[in-house]
Amino acid sequence: MDFGDQAGPSRITEPLRTTKETHPNLPPGLILGPDGKPCKVCNSWQDWAKLKVKKKGETVESHGTAAIMGGGKVASRSSGKPSRKDCPADTEALGRSTWTFLHTTAAYYPVSAPTSTQTQMRNLLSSLSLLYPCVPCAEDFQEKVKENPPDVSGREGLSRWLCERHNEVNEKLGKESFDCAWKSLNERWKDGPEDGRCD
Ligand SMILES: Cc1cc2nc3c(=O)[nH]c(=O)nc-3n(C[C@H](O)[C@H](O)[C@H](O)COP(=O)(O)OP(=O)(O)OC[C@H]3O[C@@H](n4cnc5c(N)ncnc54)[C@H](O)[C@@H]3O)c2cc1C
């Protein structure tokens, strides 16, 4: 995807497939990666767990959460598996880390960015939308960015733009919207709340 001043290749991806269509022997709804194999960063750990259970020949139990994702949507879940820090990321861990990086980078972005920095930020966001390893997430993000080109003019504009894109994902996943007012963004991603609990 080219946001204006970057010449870059587009990622070539096969249409998104799920195991329901292609692997009747695997748990239905597991997203496959471009290599045709179940893709860990495209699925939550719960879907992954279903795959493991199925491999062991046990009954696949529903966790009360829909698996996927027509139209590139990955359903999010948050039931209580203890998270380990030394395991590969699933879609939720990857998402949290990526949003943390993006919002924090925006919080420290120049208040008014010089042209060269604006170009770098456009390139970063363009590359992210092409390379993000959760393919359905990346494809959705590409669409949203096409509809709303990034505001890279300065800190406040970029922070708000990211907040709005993040809220689009929140909405898709049925999560609460975040308040994109500058004060809330600054508190969450740079200065911390006034009560000092994060100091
Ligand atoms: C580009 C991108 C696209 C994604 N697309 C998908 C997808 O299609 N399907 C899917 O299942 N997952 C997707 N994800 C992952 C998803 O957005 C979440 O990161 C993941 O579900 C974990 O959610 P979470 O509830 O832990 O908090 P996250 O949504 O990761 O948020 C982390 C923290 O950011 C803060 N926050 C929340 N909303 C905002 C906001 N609007 N602005 C600023 N701060 C905010 C909150 O304090 C929150 O605790 C995507 C991630 C990225 C980076």
Side-chain angles (χ1 to χ4, degrees), residues 74 95-96 99 103 137 163 166-167 170 172 175 188-189:
V74 184
R96 266 192 295 277
W99 286 124
H103 292 302
C137 306
C163 182
H166 192 164
N167 272 344
N170 289 342
K172 183 172 83 176
K175 295 184 186 180
R188 173 63 181 89
W189 294 109

Side-chain angles (χ1 to χ4, degrees), residues 3 15 17 26 31 42 51 81 92 109 131 150 174 193:
F3 294 159
R17 290 172 305 157
L26 292 177
I31 293 184
C42 307
L51 176 65
K81 188 192 177 197
E92 296 190 1
Y109 192 68
L131 297 171

Side-chain angles (χ1 to χ4, degrees), residues 164-178:
E164 288 164 359
R165 302 295 74 74
H166 192 164
N167 272 344
E168 286 169 351
V169 180
N170 289 342
E171 191 182 351
K172 183 172 83 176
L173 301 179
K175 295 184 186 180
E176 246 179 64
S177 235
F178 193 89

Side-chain angles (χ1 to χ4, degrees), residues 12 27 37 45-46 49 130 148:
I12 299 165
K37 294 179 186 162
W45 71 263
Q46 289 92 336
L130 295 172
N148 297 283

Side-chain angles (χ1 to χ4, degrees), residues 49-63:
K50 284 187 210 163
L51 176 65
K52 276 173 55 183
V53 167
K54 186 105 183 177
K55 272 186 184 162
K56 284 185 194 159
E58 296 162 11
T59 310
V60 180
E61 289 191 10
S62 162
H63 294 263

